[in-house]
Amino acid sequence: TRLMFAGGEPDAAIDDVVEVHAVTFALQCALTALWDSKGLTLDILFGHSLGQYAAACAAGVFSRSDGMRVVLRRGEIIRDMPPHGTMAVVHADEVSVRRHLADAGDPLDVAVVNSPENTVVSGPADAIAAWQAGAPFEVRLLGSLRAGHSRLMRAGAPDLVSAFREITLTSPAKPLICN
C-alpha cells in the first residue's frame, strides 16, 4: 500500500523508477488476467517500451515472476544511469525532427515515433533545453530524469541481457510485436 498511498497521502507521486516499473508491469499483467477471466482472449500482443514485457508475459515468453525480476532489474539499470538526461515530445513528423537534429548537430536521439505528428527526442538535458529553444516545433519536456531510448542507455544493455539469461524464455504462444 505504500506504493499506492505514499505516506498516507493519496495524491503522492510514485517517483522511484524501480517502483514505477513494478507497479506498471503488475497492473498490465493484472489487466491481461482480468480480460482472460472474462473470456476476452487476445489474438495478437503488442508492447512498447516497458509494455513489451507484459505483452511478452501474456504471450507466454516468460512467467510473471520471471518478468517481474527482469522488469525490476531494468528499473534498477535505468535508475543507476547518470541523471543528466531527459526526454521531450515534439509535435512534428519524424523526418522533420531528424533533419532539424542533424542541422543543429545536437547529441540527441529520436527515441519514439508515437504518430505521424508526435515524435519523442531524448538525450542530455542541457542539449534538449538548447534544442528546444531553437526548434521550429512545439516541444514539451516529459519530466524524465533519464534519457530513455537513447544512446545514453547503451551502457546498461549488458546488465539487461544478463537479467534475461537468468530466466526461462520460450517461444511466444501468440503473435507478439515489440520494439
Side-chain angles (χ1 to χ4, degrees):
T1 59
R2 186 189 69 74
L3 291 179
M4 292 177 60
F5 304 108
E9 299 174 29
D11 292 331
I14 302 171
D15 57 5
D16 178 270
V17 70
V18 179
E19 292 176 353
V20 169
H21 272 61
V23 169
T24 302
F25 180 73
L27 180 62
Q28 291 169 338
C29 288
L31 183 57
T32 303
L34 174 64
W35 290 337
D36 285 344
S37 75
K38 301 296 182 187
L40 300 170
T41 58
L42 303 172
D43 295 326
I44 188 167
L45 297 142
F46 172 81
H48 168 70
S49 192
L50 182 55
Q52 67 189 333
Y53 294 85
C57 184
V61 173
F62 43 72
S63 69
R64 286 187 189 126
S65 59
D66 279 348
M68 183 61 82
R69 276 194 282 285
V70 171
V71 162
L72 290 172
R73 185 66 192 121
R74 181 182 188 262
E76 291 167 350
I77 291 165
I78 292 170
R79 179 199 61 209
D80 295 342
M81 290 286 140
H84 65 275
T86 194
M87 301 170 76
V89 65
V90 183
H91 296 282
D93 64 280
E94 176 187 9
V95 172
S96 297
V97 171
R98 285 188 188 279
R99 188 175 312 124
H100 193 267
L101 287 173
D103 290 347
D106 287 313
L108 305 178
D109 295 302
V110 169
V112 180
V113 178
N114 288 319
S115 74
E117 295 295 321
N118 185 301
T119 306
V120 176
V121 296
S122 182
D126 57 347
I128 293 259
W131 187 80
Q132 180 183 20
F137 321 109
E138 180 185 343
V139 179
R140 184 176 52 86
L141 295 177
L142 294 177
S144 172
L145 297 177
R146 305 294 186 278
H149 303 282
S150 79
R151 66 189 98 170
L152 297 178
M153 294 287 114
R154 288 184 187 150
D159 287 339
L160 188 58
V161 169
S162 292
F164 273 102
R165 287 190 176 130
E166 295 173 10
I167 66 169
T168 302
L169 299 169
T170 61
S171 296
K174 296 180 179 185
L176 174 64
I177 301 170
C178 294
N179 59 315

